[in-house]
């Protein structure tokens, strides 16, 4: 049984930092590209960053450029999201997701991501 579990969310002031973690079990982690997605109240879920199975390929959306960094540790089946210079508009539930992709590829579109975590709340106060 595949499980994806996020942790590390919380309340932080604008300009602060948070580090989210995601642990996946029940799958061969390095067969999957993985990504971080978020959903703010009243908005659709959007992709934030993704990383290929070997870490060689990453993509990000413009709104987090220079502020957020994605990384993974295949030996530990873990994914990380380092968020710096947080803004109130970053407030959302953040989700980790995995998409089977043995190629050097990833996508910030939520389509075809088969495994999702329950999400962790990030709230940035002004």
């Amino acid at each position: 049984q595949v499980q994806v579990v996020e942790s590390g969310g919380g309340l932080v002031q604008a300009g602060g930092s948070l580090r989210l973690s995601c642990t996946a079990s029940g799958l061969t982690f390095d067969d999957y590209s993985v990504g971080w997605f978020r959903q703010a109240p009243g908005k659709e879920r959007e992709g934030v960053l993704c990383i290929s199975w070997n870490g060689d390929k990453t993509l990000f959306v413009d709104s987090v450029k220079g502020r957020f960094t994605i990384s993974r540790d295949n030996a530990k089946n873990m994914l990380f999201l380092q968020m710096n210079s947080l803004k109130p508009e970053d407030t959302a539930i953040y989700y980790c997701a995995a998409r089977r992709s043995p190629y050097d590829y990833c996508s910030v579109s939520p389509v075809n991501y088969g495994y999702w975590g329950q999400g962790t709340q990030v709230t940035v106060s002004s």
Side-chain angles (χ1 to χ4, degrees), residues 5-43:
V5 180
E6 305 93 339
S7 61
L11 173 65
V12 64
Q13 287 188 332
S17 298
L18 278 176
R19 188 184 193 219
L20 305 185
S21 299
C22 170
T23 302
S25 60
L27 50 74
T28 303
F29 192 61
D30 53 12
D31 281 347
Y32 290 78
S33 62
V34 283
W36 288 101
F37 300 81
R38 66 185 180 185
Q39 188 165 18
K43 295 188 177 181

Side-chain angles (χ1 to χ4, degrees), residues 33-112:
S33 62
V34 283
W36 288 101
F37 300 81
R38 66 185 180 185
Q39 188 165 18
K43 295 188 177 181
E44 291 189 355
R45 189 172 298 187
E46 65 166 350
V48 181
L49 301 103
C50 67
I51 186 167
S52 60
W53 74 273
N54 58 1
D56 284 351
K57 175 76 170 181
T58 61
L59 291 175
F60 54 87
V61 294
D62 285 345
S63 59
V64 303
K65 183 178 180 181
R67 300 189 299 123
F68 290 12
T69 305
I70 190 172
S71 61
R72 65 189 292 165
D73 184 339
N74 286 350
K76 297 181 179 178
N77 283 19
M78 294 189 72
L79 177 70
F80 304 99
L81 177 62
Q82 179 66 44
M83 304 185 292
N84 299 326
S85 303
L86 281 160
K87 304 176 181 180
E89 52 263 44
D90 295 318
T91 295
I93 299 173
Y94 282 71
Y95 299 90
C96 170
R99 170 179 173 169
R100 188 172 180 86
S101 176
Y103 307 107
D104 191 13
Y105 168 85
C106 73
S107 171
V108 292
S109 166
V111 175
N112 293 328

